[in-house]
Amino acid sequence: YTFFRPDIGYVQGMSYLAAMLLLYLPSYQAFVGLCNLLNTPSVLGLYRLEPQAMACRARVFEQLCFQQLPAVARCIENVGLTPEMFLIDWFLTIFAKCLSVDVASVVWDLFLLDGEVVLYCTAIAILRILEDPLLHPDGRRGPKAVPPDLESCFRVLNEELRSRVHDPDELLWHIDQVRRRTPHRICVEIRAIENTEFGTGRSFTVPSP
């Protein structure tokens, strides 16, 4: 791919996309799929590593998080955890890095059908599942409970994420709930990021070898 698109080159995270495609497709078809996937507005915009693209997505995520999970949003903000510390890694790999193959495959199916809005809904759905350990790291409530801090939140969103988000059906249900509660204005903003900053993202055909 680096020879095919030297203007983009290799960016950390591409290997997860290639690995997921190779699980389902022969090598050449997987390469064509990777090229087309990286040419979509959502993915191409992220892999260009433009600061503005990252900031736009982080801002939309924060809006959606405060709208749907205000307690989690305040917790993340209070401990000093910024969306860029975990969100970009999730988006770059379309969750193939942080979730098991079975669970990530559900996200990929939805993403290929509906586009970038699925990435935000999946991120919020994961936070819904992780809400309790994020807010109550020691499992207790009340005055003797240990409050969340940066270390505990980062641990839940990284080391413990795969073991806690392990049921594809559960995640799919939460994604659907998030979609139903997502304001239309946020969907419009997500679409605007795709269209105005990164073009139409038309697919293409790689010549046969």
Side-chain angles (χ1 to χ4, degrees), residues 153-183:
C153 289
F154 195 78
R155 182 175 61 251
V156 170
L157 293 175
N158 287 271
E159 300 169 19
E160 300 177 5
L161 193 155
R162 184 174 296 218
S163 63
R164 292 181 180 276
V165 185
H166 56 81
D167 186 338
D169 293 331
E170 181 187 22
L171 180 60
L172 186 61
W173 184 84
H174 281 287
I175 292 173
D176 181 65
Q177 294 301 303
V178 174
R179 282 291 291 270
R180 292 173 183 271
R181 292 169 170 78
T182 299

Side-chain angles (χ1 to χ4, degrees), residues 26-74:
S27 58
Y28 181 70
Q29 285 85 345
F31 173 67
V32 175
L34 178 66
C35 292
N36 281 315
L37 181 61
L38 290 172
N39 196 50
T40 59
S42 305
V43 181
L44 182 61
L46 289 166
Y47 275 96
R48 282 175 173 166
L49 300 178
E50 296 175 351
Q52 184 179 1
M54 307 294 184
C56 287
R57 286 164 169 83
R59 185 173 64 250
V60 171
F61 169 78
E62 287 178 329
Q63 292 177 24
L64 194 57
C65 193
F66 270 104
Q67 183 256 332
Q68 302 213 14
L69 295 170
V72 173
R74 287 193 297 270

